[in-house]
Amino acid sequence: MAQDIHTDHASYQLSGFVDGVWHPEDLVELPGTSWVIVSCMRSADHGGGLFKVDTARPSHATELRWAPAAQQARLGPQIFDPHGIAARRLADETFELLVVDHGGGEAIDRLVLELGEEGPFVAAGERLVQPPRTSANAVAHLPDGGFVMTSMFDPTDGEFVSRFARGEPTGQVWRWSPANGWSRFGDQAMSGANGIAVSRDGVVIACEWAARRVWRLDRDGRAVASVETDFLPDNLRWTADGRLLLAGQSTRPEVLFGCEARGDRCPLAFKVVRLDPVSLAIESLIAVDEAGAVAKGFGGATGAMEVGEQIWVGSFTGQRIGIFSPWSA
């Protein structure tokens, strides 16, 4: 059943930046540590990369080191082109990082991160090639050790941007399990399937970016509820109290998608909201219009995550992460 539940009030303000990154599309914490991993998208000016930030000293990010064995698996000679990421703890100082990787064909990289003297590094990895005619955007772990991913569109379809503009189906959610490999997760088609999150009991929240809608799917992938947004909903991240932060762009999908490749000036207006995963109620936290984004030198938000009382915001453009703090009069 569709719902429309919104509370509009901006309660956070830009208070600083994390520098040293480019196009920081997605951010995720390593559970139980002070470290945040950043996925930096490949562009005409920079190669794709994974960076780390210590939230105890957040002024600057540094690139993740790859151990020699992991470097050889990187994963082969293809270009590294990361997008969405997800992390879970394997042991006290070992983590699994899932990386959507568009380099050399569509795949999900399963990387093992270990903590060293200078923080996390990539110790090992493997590459899981995706099903044909999928292009992943985001990924999230399932309780059984597998994961779900959103396929945003069919890369062989030359009309997918036009379909975005019309809100027509272009992709859906897929599942990978250690026992069975790839399968479709339910049959809910989406126009620009984007951000995804999984609750501890296996309920999936997925963003239909081009249609401005967020879905709740049960453990079998059946759509049970949805809510409309007034922006393009992008990445999702859990908060400490069991809700979700959702960021996205305030524009039209056909204007945004591929803007840099076309040489256009990319729109920068964005919103960050808090989403209740059960009621799907939406509370506005940050709202920045085009003029404000230009003035602040930060916009085009793609994801947000909670860091203490702050909200860190990633972007598909620019070369820094925005730090937003609770509003103080």
Side-chain angles (χ1 to χ4, degrees), residues 97-115:
L97 184 73
L98 300 176
V99 182
V100 172
D101 184 0
H102 303 296
E106 301 289 331
I108 304 297
D109 299 334
R110 296 179 74 198
L111 306 180
V112 176
L113 304 189
E114 296 181 0
L115 290 182

Side-chain angles (χ1 to χ4, degrees), residues 12-19 58-60 296-298 310-313 320-325:
Y12 286 77
Q13 60 185 340
L14 185 65
S15 59
F17 297 100
V18 177
D19 294 312
S59 61
H60 196 81
K296 295 175 186 295
F298 182 82
Q310 298 174 331
I311 294 176
W312 288 19
V313 180
R320 51 190 179 176
I321 297 164
I323 298 176
F324 289 76
S325 299

Side-chain angles (χ1 to χ4, degrees), residues 150-228:
T150 49
S151 175
M152 196 173 192
F153 58 90
D154 176 353
T156 69
D157 178 8
E159 300 297 319
F160 71 85
V161 176
S162 298
R163 299 189 200 283
F164 286 163
R166 297 189 294 269
E168 296 176 357
T170 60
Q172 69 165 106
V173 178
W174 286 75
R175 176 176 185 163
W176 183 90
S177 73
N180 300 314
W182 291 105
S183 61
R184 296 178 187 271
F185 186 69
D187 57 6
Q188 181 62 50
M190 298 183 189
S191 186
N194 200 312
I196 195 164
V198 181
S199 69
R200 291 182 178 178
D201 59 356
V203 172
V204 172
I205 307 295
C207 294
E208 188 178 8
W209 180 78
R212 295 179 173 85
R213 186 162 292 277
V214 180
W215 293 89
R216 186 169 72 245
L217 310 176
D218 67 16
R219 297 171 189 83
D220 296 318
R222 291 186 293 263
V224 294
S226 72
V227 64
E228 186 178 357

Side-chain angles (χ1 to χ4, degrees), residues 270-289:
F270 70 91
K271 289 189 174 183
V272 176
V273 302
R274 188 155 42 210
L275 175 72
D276 186 301
V278 178
S279 69
L280 299 184
I282 291 175
E283 176 190 2
S284 180
L285 301 178
I286 302 167
V288 178
D289 62 17

